[in-house]
Amino acid sequence: MGGTVITGLATDVAQLIPPMIQQVEEKIVADQIFEPLVMSGDEDRLDTGFRPAIADRWSWERDSMAVVFHLNPSARWHDGAPVRASDVRFTFALYTDPTLGSQERPALSRIDSVTVRDSVTAVFWFNARYPQQFYDAGARMLIMPEHALASLPRATLQTSTFARNPIGSARFRLSKWTTSSIELVADTTNYHGRPKLDRVIFVKVADPNAVVAGLSNGELDAGEIASPQDYQKLSAHPALRSHMLPAWDYAFVQFNLADPKRRTQPNRLFGDIALRRALTMAIDRKTLVASQFDSLGTVAVGPMTHAQTMADTTIAIAAYDSLGAATLLDSLGWKLPAGKMVRERAGQPLRFSLVVPSVSPNRMAMAVRLQESLRRMGVQLDLDVMDAAAFTARVARRDYDAAFNGTRAEASIAGLKAYWTVAGADDPAGRNSANYRNPKFDAHLDSAIGARDITTARAHASQAYSVIIADMPAVWIYEPRTAQFTHKRIRTAHVAPTAWWRGLADWSIPEAERLPRDRIGLKMAAR
Amino acid sequence: MRRFLARRLAHGAAVIFIAVSLSFLLLHIAPGDPFSATLASASIDPATLAQWRTAYGLDRPILEQYIRFLGQAAVGNFGPSIRYHQPVADVLAAAIPQTITLMGTALVLSFGFGVPLGSWQAAHRGTTTDRIAGTASLIVGSLPEFWLGLVLLLLFAARFPILPSHGAVDPMHDLFPLAERVIDRARHLVLPALTLALLSSASIARYQRATLLDVLPQDFVRTARAKGVAERHVLWKHALRNALVPTIVLAGLSLPALIGGAVFVERIFSWPGMGSVAVEAFAGRDYQLVAGTTVAGAVLVVAGSIVADLLHAVADPRVRAR
């Protein structure tokens, strides 16, 4: 036992109330302090591979409309209080409270309620049967202590003392939180057994160059890298080991299918699927992605990523064919007049703007590549670069021609519902900002979400993906990947590909390879 | 002197009011708000976003928001930071000392290096070394802060790893013995302070050279030489003392440039100061925190210029007489 792992985080962690987590950095820290009822499998499969966490066993009711979790009777909060079934019920109430705005709330909508059978037995009641029932109930929520939170007003929970002094039940507990670091120490009396490390320190390192420097000079023991140049540089470092993480994000050029000023009217350009097809064919996605990301990116396959359980990566997307694209544009009347660089139809140039968020360097760089690709095809793409707030506001208002959007895929396909269904388009405040409407897609998506077994769900999901990919409301561009580097003296017994930080409590450092900072022991820092 | 101070304070208050009002106005008329400020916010239920906007009063008319904001700002209460979920005063209380430490060190280094260099150049005006030093200071002074910071980072934290790459202290700083803690803090200061100091010392050197060249032909210098005072004494005791008066003023006026530079430098070196906080606040449209950082920055700048005026008055009797 012993050792210290110092990990770099790109942004500040603002609070550690699990239902209010907005950033992956907060999730990384919260996952060391809090734990769910069960741990999901490494591939974040929704239907299998679960391991006990707070719950030591579980059983289904006969009709599959309820699942009973039996809590480990030894489970204790860091303040010594026992973990009770009422904590589970309380946690569900927090996650589903609209005032907290949990990102998990929509996915929990099919859990009707949570009841307490006895102090160590919690029952989740569902209002529908679907494949990821168990995942939603057991693995989606980090359980929180009712005794510490019940008396606090929920509206101000994130500014409460608890938000920066959380009490969890996992194998690390908070020791110190400063403006630039968060220190967790081993909970030596934890009911799972103490972690192999003494302490984990998360430090804010905002600049990617500083992460590279920190990893290569030994200041940092672990960190993520997203640039291919940095990846190559660090891969050659003799003291570092890398793990390539699967992509959960994907980026796409989203067409506004409606007129930005009159939503009931089709877009002057993108209302025509043939034009969308021509533009898709004009873009050599494979070459563009390879040139920008090298091995740290793959071509996107639709509104999904390769890592998703429900993904169907076999559906064909209109392939790059510059000649075919030019012929199609010609046939649509978009001809290149002699001596001009931009195609025209009835005197109107084939020109549109692409809104790009400046906060994403990947999208900024790719937008320039896209602009050049389309220029060669006689299409003028104007880049409209803006900060994140302006970008999200503009897209939400649907006041754009094309937007370089991106999103994080959810483990469940249900996440697509808000973004691409008719209901999302019809609601003026809805998130279907592309104004995409196809009832066939909606029907297949609903069937996939409501299917009782994973095979049926996958079949419907595949059909839903086929519909939307054929409709081409977007050009699916790339899935960026990140590489996680760890110092070789650290034995990462197991690195979960979907969440490298999940097994931190089982990481260890052999006695002979320890640095001075590994030998400090559990001496508490002055607070 | 009291009237002078009162007048400068009134000017300072007006500057702060204008700066804060402008930042409020510009931020509010820009598209988006704190709840649409990250790309991830697109995944939050619109009804929840609307609820949060109501809770923070962002659905009220801008004039009403402005009046409420002024009322709070007047008593120093900027409310909670939406980004950090803490009172703005607490966020600033943690950040301001870090920025003052960084800027103070940079200021001392830049004058400690810039004044002797400029004086030496003036004493050796027209020589090859003067020209080389002048060209070098012109080049260094023209470099952008972020570029110089990155070069120093890659050079001294990655290529030759002798200095830390980020933060104000080691994450295990509190566990070190006292002497090591002092060394640790100093080591972390080197790269960010050096970045700022190199840039400002270049302009201070050029300024000092020019002012000393103005002073050297004056009568009192000629008299000193005629009295047989050694050339070294003439330069460093007689001429430099007089040539330092405008440079003292420059010290106060350097603050805005240093604060501006600190925004980039703190970001590169993850220095937990006001620059880092301001970047997060502006990017996150954290209205309260933006107001807080604007006021703090404006106060520092105004205080710097008042101190410069006072020092000028102390150093130059003609100013006191006015």
Side-chain angles (χ1 to χ4, degrees):
Chain A
M1 302 290 175
T4 298
V5 168
I6 300 177
T7 300
L9 297 178
T11 63
D12 282 313
V13 171
Q15 54 86 29
L16 287 172
I17 303 280
M20 307 180 89
I21 283 173
Q22 304 263 335
Q23 307 178 115
V24 71
E25 287 81 4
E26 291 171 344
K27 174 80 175 148
I28 290 171
V29 180
D31 274 348
Q32 313 309 320
I33 299 170
F34 299 96
E35 53 183 342
L37 289 170
V38 296
M39 301 295 287
S40 60
D42 282 351
E43 301 304 326
D44 257 342
R45 285 181 62 88
L46 303 173
D47 58 337
T48 183
F50 296 96
R51 290 173 285 121
I54 289 179
D56 57 3
R57 60 180 193 272
W58 50 87
S59 59
W60 283 94
E61 295 291 284
R62 257 192 201 163
D63 60 358
S64 297
M65 293 294 277
V67 60
V68 181
F69 287 97
H70 183 267
L71 276 50
N72 186 330
S74 317
R76 292 282 181 282
W77 296 108
H78 294 150
D79 63 0
V83 180
R84 291 289 177 241
S86 54
D87 293 319
V88 179
R89 181 179 57 195
F90 176 73
T91 299
F92 176 71
L94 286 183
Y95 271 87
T96 51
D97 185 338
T99 56
L100 268 62
S102 170
Q103 291 183 341
E104 307 291 355
R105 195 167 75 98
L108 297 171
S109 63
R110 284 173 291 173
I111 299 175
D112 180 75
S113 57
V114 176
T115 57
V116 172
R117 191 167 284 174
D118 58 52
S119 67
V120 290
T121 311
V123 186
F124 282 73
W125 300 92
F126 296 90
N127 51 34
R129 275 175 288 206
Y130 57 101
Q132 63 265 30
Q133 274 174 283
F134 191 77
Y135 176 87
D136 288 345
R140 201 177 274 281
M141 293 175 280
L142 294 172
I143 306 303
M144 306 184 66
E146 183 179 28
H147 69 279
L149 289 163
S151 60
L152 303 176
R154 289 189 187 167
T156 56
L157 210 52
Q158 56 192 349
T159 56
S160 66
T161 313
F162 186 94
R164 292 177 75 85
N165 287 286
I167 297 166
S169 62
R171 293 164 74 191
F172 285 105
R173 58 188 172 76
L174 184 76
S175 166
K176 196 175 60 166
W177 190 332
T178 69
T179 47
S180 50
S181 70
I182 295 175
E183 180 182 321
L184 310 181
V185 292
D187 181 32
T188 51
T189 57
N190 193 273
Y191 69 105
H192 291 302
R194 68 155 284 175
K196 291 175 180 167
L197 297 169
D198 281 340
R199 98 178 19 79
V200 178
I201 301 175
F202 297 96
V203 292
K204 182 192 170 186
V205 190
D207 191 283
N209 295 291
V211 177
V212 174
L215 282 167
S216 56
N217 71 14
E219 282 178 275
L220 296 175
D221 293 316
E224 285 185 36
I225 291 295
S227 138
Q229 293 78 19
D230 293 341
Y231 175 66
Q232 282 178 355
K233 208 181 298 171
L234 291 179
S235 294
H237 198 289
L240 297 171
R241 179 192 307 123
S242 71
H243 298 277
M244 190 67 86
L245 306 174
W248 283 91
D249 295 325
Y250 59 98
F252 49 97
V253 171
Q254 165 184 314
F255 301 120
N256 190 347
L257 304 187
D259 187 305
K261 305 298 173 204
R262 291 168 298 167
R263 280 191 200 174
T264 51
Q265 302 294 312
N267 188 285
R268 68 184 172 91
L269 292 173
F270 306 124
D272 181 359
I273 188 172
L275 179 65
R276 304 201 297 268
R277 172 175 289 278
L279 294 176
T280 305
M281 290 162 64
I283 297 169
D284 184 358
R285 298 178 305 138
K286 200 173 165 186
T287 305
L288 293 184
V289 172
S291 68
Q292 179 165 324
F293 294 98
D294 194 10
S295 56
L296 284 182
T298 46
V299 175
V301 286
M304 58 185 139
T305 73
H306 288 80
Q308 279 179 289
T309 306
M310 294 279 195
D312 182 348
T313 58
T314 62
I315 302 166
I317 297 178
Y320 171 60
D321 177 2
S322 57
L323 193 62
T327 309
L328 185 51
L329 287 172
D330 284 341
S331 71
L332 293 171
W334 293 106
K335 308 242 176 170
L336 197 58
K340 290 200 173 177
M341 301 292 287
V342 179
R343 289 172 182 272
E344 290 179 2
R345 184 170 73 180
Q348 293 296 311
L350 182 47
R351 174 183 183 182
F352 61 94
S353 69
L354 176 70
V355 290
V356 188
S358 58
V359 73
S360 166
N362 280 339
R363 282 186 238 174
M364 292 275 288
M366 184 57 80
V368 175
R369 288 177 156 87
L370 292 173
Q371 187 180 42
E372 175 57 18
S373 295
L374 293 178
R375 186 193 63 77
R376 277 185 260 142
M377 196 52 60
V379 180
Q380 184 172 336
L381 179 63
D382 301 320
L383 301 185
D384 195 354
V385 178
M386 55 195 70
D387 75 352
F391 176 83
T392 49
R394 184 99 173 257
V395 171
R397 278 203 319 271
R398 305 181 195 185
D399 181 16
Y400 67 95
D401 284 329
F404 206 158
N405 217 335
T407 192
R408 188 163 186 81
E410 292 183 17
S412 158
I413 193 174
L416 290 181
K417 209 169 158 101
Y419 296 99
W420 299 106
T421 58
V422 174
D426 286 344
D427 178 0
R431 279 175 278 172
N432 183 348
S433 51
N435 294 297
Y436 171 67
R437 288 180 172 83
N438 190 332
K440 274 189 196 167
F441 170 78
D442 293 10
H444 286 304
L445 187 62
D446 283 339
S447 301
I449 294 167
R452 294 186 184 181
D453 63 89
I454 196 80
T455 311
T456 314
R458 213 173 253 145
H460 283 294
S462 181
Q463 285 172 305
Y465 286 134
S466 298
V467 171
I468 194 169
I469 286 170
D471 284 341
M472 288 180 274
V475 187
W476 316 102
I477 307 286
Y478 64 80
E479 296 175 19
R481 301 184 72 180
T482 52
Q484 192 265 341
F485 282 86
T486 317
H487 197 278
K488 277 185 181 165
R489 79 180 194 288
I490 299 163
R491 304 292 186 267
T492 52
H494 176 71
V495 174
T498 49
W500 60 264
W501 59 88
R502 220 180 252 167
L504 260 170
D506 289 319
W507 289 14
S508 63
I509 302 171
E511 182 74 37
E513 296 175 42
R514 289 185 188 168
L515 303 175
R517 69 175 177 237
D518 297 322
R519 301 179 195 279
I520 287 177
L522 274 176
K523 184 177 156 190
M524 295 287 285
R527 302 193 71 156
Chain B
M1 187 59 117
R2 265 189 204 161
R3 277 183 57 195
F4 168 77
L5 193 59
R7 203 168 55 235
R8 296 298 288 120
L9 285 173
H11 284 166
V15 167
I16 292 167
F17 173 76
I18 292 167
V20 169
S21 297
L22 273 179
S23 74
F24 177 92
L25 190 69
L26 292 174
L27 211 58
H28 278 73
I29 59 175
D33 65 21
F35 302 111
S36 65
T38 65
L39 296 177
S41 55
S43 64
I44 300 171
D45 179 23
T48 301
L49 291 175
Q51 200 174 342
W52 287 348
R53 286 181 178 118
T54 305
Y56 279 87
L58 300 178
D59 57 341
R60 310 302 305 158
I62 191 165
L63 187 63
E64 185 183 323
Q65 290 185 54
Y66 176 63
I67 292 168
R68 193 184 60 213
F69 160 75
L70 281 184
Q72 289 176 331
V75 293
N77 171 23
F78 295 102
S81 156
I82 295 170
R83 169 74 185 81
Y84 289 92
H85 308 301
Q86 292 180 77
V88 167
D90 290 358
V91 177
L92 292 179
I96 288 174
Q98 300 285 2
T99 295
I100 288 176
T101 305
L102 177 58
M103 286 197 311
T105 310
L107 206 59
V108 169
L109 285 177
S110 50
F111 276 84
F113 186 66
V115 169
L117 178 66
S119 306
W120 184 87
Q121 281 185 261
H124 299 82
R125 63 186 176 280
T127 61
T128 308
T129 44
D130 171 38
R131 281 197 292 274
I132 291 172
T135 309
S137 62
L138 181 65
I139 291 170
V140 171
S142 311
L143 296 174
E145 289 96 347
F146 69 89
W147 187 87
L148 184 61
L150 281 177
V151 168
L152 293 177
L153 172 82
L154 296 174
L155 206 57
F156 297 111
R159 185 75 183 85
F160 306 105
I162 52 173
L163 289 166
S165 60
H166 60 267
V169 290
D170 187 278
M172 305 187 79
H173 176 86
D174 290 346
L175 300 173
F176 296 163
L178 180 64
E180 275 185 43
R181 268 189 261 169
V182 174
I183 294 168
D184 176 55
R185 195 168 276 278
R187 275 167 46 80
H188 280 81
L189 252 176
V190 173
L191 288 181
L194 193 63
T195 307
L196 289 171
L198 276 176
L199 295 168
S200 50
S201 63
S203 47
I204 288 167
R206 293 175 62 76
Y207 194 74
Q208 185 62 59
R209 180 183 181 276
T211 51
L212 199 55
L213 286 178
D214 283 344
V215 168
L216 281 173
Q218 289 183 17
D219 290 347
F220 73 93
V221 176
R222 198 178 308 129
T223 306
R225 282 196 181 114
K227 283 165 70 180
V229 177
E231 187 59 28
R232 179 180 292 183
H233 277 87
V234 170
L235 178 71
W236 295 104
K237 285 205 166 175
H238 295 266
L240 183 59
R241 183 174 287 179
N242 284 275
L244 269 178
V245 174
T247 312
I248 288 169
V249 178
L250 187 67
L253 300 178
S254 299
L255 278 175
L258 279 173
I259 289 176
V263 170
F264 297 104
V265 172
E266 288 186 5
R267 181 84 182 160
I268 290 166
F269 294 103
S270 300
W271 188 267
M274 231 175 61
S276 294
V277 168
V279 169
E280 294 279 346
F282 276 96
R285 296 279 203 280
D286 189 339
Y287 295 147
Q288 281 86 347
L289 193 53
V290 167
T293 52
T294 307
V295 168
V299 166
L300 279 177
V301 169
V302 167
S305 79
I306 290 175
V307 168
D309 285 349
L310 288 175
L311 286 174
H312 193 189
V314 169
D316 190 341
R318 290 168 300 179
V319 176
R320 280 204 301 277
R322 283 204 297 270

